[in-house]
Amino acid sequence: MMKQNIIALATLGLLTVSASAFDTKGCAGCHGANFEKSAMGKSKIVKDMSKEDIEKALKGYKDGSYGGAMKGVMKAQAMKMSDEDIASFAGSFSSEDNATKSDDNKTEATPAKEVNVAACAGCHGANFEKSAMGKSKKVNEMSKADIEKALKGYKDGSYGGAMKAMMKGQAAKLSDEDIKGIAEKFGK
């Protein structure tokens, strides 16, 4: 009986840790899989920031006291994070932490045939049901042809409004095959 209780407590502890961990997949679209990019050419490179700077930035985005042009985008993301999530994230992705990691531990880019749309969820919703930052069409309500036209247009710069620059960076990563696959999977 004692052994079963210990196993149950250990399992509960692992589930609690897993449930509280912040999922960073949605961050990769702007910041890169290893936080190596300046988001839309406007942000600091997260992997080069100290733990303290990351915590200060995320808490500032959360309370509205930090940020420039993309403050609204980051506020929405930071609001999803608890203080514990922020501290854990900062400890995992800071320049101090990255100095101790080997290149073997870095995430590989997603192959083109397996387009990772998780990065899209931060703005568009997990099922593309949201109007990104209140400015875009809801992707899940668009036809396959319209999705393909929009992504190709974002990629070549011929399509888009207020968020054109952000989407150009995202669409530039997609091959024509990727675009067609996204349109087929999520379009009407």
Side-chain angles (χ1 to χ4, degrees), residues 23-117:
D23 184 0
T24 60
K25 290 177 190 167
C27 308
C30 296
H31 292 282
N34 298 306
F35 294 90
E36 76 281 5
K37 292 174 31 183
S38 171
M40 287 148 304
K42 298 178 191 251
S43 74
K44 294 177 182 177
I45 296 173
V46 177
K47 75 171 187 75
D48 294 341
M49 296 171 67
S50 70
K51 180 179 189 284
E52 292 77 25
D53 287 343
I54 294 171
E55 283 189 60
K56 179 182 175 186
L58 288 171
K59 287 179 179 179
Y61 280 126
K62 194 172 177 179
D63 70 20
S65 65
Y66 183 91
M70 301 312 292
K71 185 178 193 173
V73 174
M74 281 302 302
K75 180 175 178 108
Q77 303 308 314
M79 291 299 291
K80 300 173 189 174
M81 301 176 82
S82 68
D83 286 347
E84 293 80 21
D85 291 334
I86 290 172
S88 175
F89 173 85
S92 297
F93 295 99
S94 67
S95 56
E96 296 96 342
D97 182 64
N98 286 323
T100 64
K101 287 183 182 175
S102 73
D103 285 331
D104 295 338
N105 291 333
K106 293 193 176 179
T107 306
E108 293 297 317
T110 304
K113 291 183 182 175
E114 296 177 25
V115 179
N116 181 1
V117 295

